[in-house]
Amino acid sequence: MLILLVFVTLIGIVLNEAGYLEPIEGLVLRLISPLQARLATIVETSGGLFRAVRDLRDLRQRNAELEEQYAQLLIENVALKEAVQENVELRALLSFREQHPGFQFVGGEVKARVIGRDPSNFLRYLIIDAGKAQGVEKGMSVVVPRGLVGRIQSVGSNWAKVLLITDPRSSVSVLSQASRATGQVQGLVDGDLVMKYISQEKVINKGDIVITSGLGGNLPKGLVVGQITAVEQRDSDLFQQATVRPTVDFYRLEKVLVIAAFEPVDVTDEDQSIVPDADEP
């Protein structure tokens, strides 16, 4: 068998050298050329498909990395915006403190709020994260740079409940900054304020700013309360009254200051002859 194979091989070599196999080679090449071309196309297509699969896998991995980076940047951006907003608020509070060097303050952050209707009454109050441990006591005034927020109604070890000036149970001694007319501001169920017990001899106008008068010694003088939006005056009434819009946005409060101590006004310099006692928390 081996001898026969060697013999056939030698004959093939001799015939090839003599050129007798060229027609057969040409025929074979013509027959297998389409097959080779087809195989080459399949191989090339398969290679492209494999490259596409690899590229898709790489693309998905890169996309996942970019999404993770985006999420991280989004978190950092939110944190940065919060830091900027907090910085603005702290600067405003610091400026307010610098403008009132005679006050002692305790800082607090709003942790909860109820501004709405209770089945038995209209309740408007906030809960802050400062209490007895921080020196907060019942009756202390709560403020922000825009004005008076309310009074401390109850105190826990590390929390306090703030009764807003818009609560119908709140009462604050005030005066008109323009005419110096004194009165008493109370909350209304719709969130506005009413300034009562204004002397008929005083002239008050829409747009006048209302501030705390300091009468009674329970509140410092000069805290902004609101702006007069309407005046009700009848000659037959003993007093006139006015509707006041608060300057504080109670729905957007985040940080507040509690006035722990202040220099009370000298009552001998104030006209309080017709204003009933107020400022009860």
Side-chain angles (χ1 to χ4, degrees):
M1 184 66 180
L2 180 59
I3 297 174
L4 180 60
L5 181 60
V6 172
F7 180 71
V8 171
T9 302
L10 291 175
I11 293 176
I13 293 173
V14 172
L15 292 176
N16 183 60
E17 291 295 331
Y20 291 109
L21 295 180
E22 289 183 1
I24 298 175
E25 290 178 352
L27 178 60
V28 172
L29 289 176
R30 284 195 300 272
L31 292 175
I32 66 173
S33 290
L35 180 59
Q36 288 179 330
R38 183 60 178 170
L39 289 174
T41 301
I42 293 174
V43 171
E44 183 178 356
T45 303
S46 300
L49 181 60
F50 290 142
R51 285 193 300 271
V53 171
R54 184 178 63 251
D55 292 344
L56 180 60
R57 183 176 61 251
D58 294 342
L59 182 61
R60 286 178 175 174
Q61 182 177 356
R62 179 57 177 166
N63 185 59
E65 293 174 354
L66 290 175
E67 287 182 352
E68 184 176 354
Q69 292 178 9
Y70 171 78
Q72 184 64 32
L73 289 173
L74 183 62
I75 294 173
E76 293 176 359
N77 186 50
V78 171
L80 180 60
K81 287 183 177 180
E82 286 297 311
V84 171
Q85 179 62 29
E86 183 177 12
N87 184 54
V88 171
E89 293 175 358
L90 291 177
R91 283 179 178 272
L93 293 177
L94 178 60
S95 177
F96 183 82
R97 298 181 68 156
E98 292 175 346
Q99 294 171 13
H100 299 82
F103 296 172
Q104 295 181 18
F105 293 98
V106 175
E109 186 171 351
V110 176
K111 291 299 183 183
R113 70 188 71 220
V114 175
I115 305 179
R117 184 172 184 174
D118 180 80
S120 60
N121 202 345
F122 283 84
L123 302 179
R124 296 179 180 270
Y125 62 83
L126 304 175
I127 304 296
I128 61 174
D129 65 349
K132 294 179 180 178
Q134 290 75 34
V136 176
E137 297 178 3
K138 182 179 179 180
M140 288 181 173
S141 306
V142 180
V143 297
V144 291
R146 291 180 64 90
L148 180 63
V149 175
R151 306 281 299 282
I152 299 295
Q153 187 182 46
S154 56
V155 188
S157 58
N158 289 289
W159 61 269
K161 181 178 178 180
V162 182
L163 183 70
L164 303 183
I165 59 173
T166 52
D167 191 291
R169 296 168 295 175
S170 172
S171 181
V172 179
S173 294
V174 297
L175 59 84
S176 168
Q177 193 174 39
S179 66
R180 315 309 289 179
T182 59
Q184 180 177 327
V185 158
Q186 291 183 321
L188 297 174
V189 293
D190 62 359
D192 279 337
L193 305 168
V194 59
M195 181 176 174
K196 300 180 178 180
Y197 308 115
I198 306 171
S199 171
Q200 292 280 19
E201 299 177 357
K202 296 291 185 177
V203 178
I204 55 174
N205 298 295
K206 181 179 179 180
D208 288 353
I209 299 298
V210 176
I211 61 176
T212 55
S213 66
L215 298 179
N218 295 319
L219 276 170
K221 180 181 179 180
L223 299 176
V224 178
V225 174
Q227 186 175 30
I228 293 177
T229 58
V231 178
E232 183 180 337
Q233 192 274 335
R234 290 191 296 265
D235 293 337
S236 58
D237 293 337
L238 182 60
F239 301 103
Q240 56 181 321
Q241 66 179 31
T243 303
V244 179
R245 182 179 63 246
T247 53
V248 173
D249 186 350
F250 299 98
Y251 291 91
R252 300 183 64 180
L253 291 176
E254 294 185 11
K255 291 179 175 58
V256 298
L257 292 173
V258 180
I259 302 178
F262 62 93
E263 186 70 25
V265 300
D266 185 355
V267 296
T268 60
D269 296 333
E270 300 292 336
D271 178 14
Q272 55 177 341
S273 57
I274 60 174
V275 180
D277 292 337
D279 297 346
E280 291 300 326

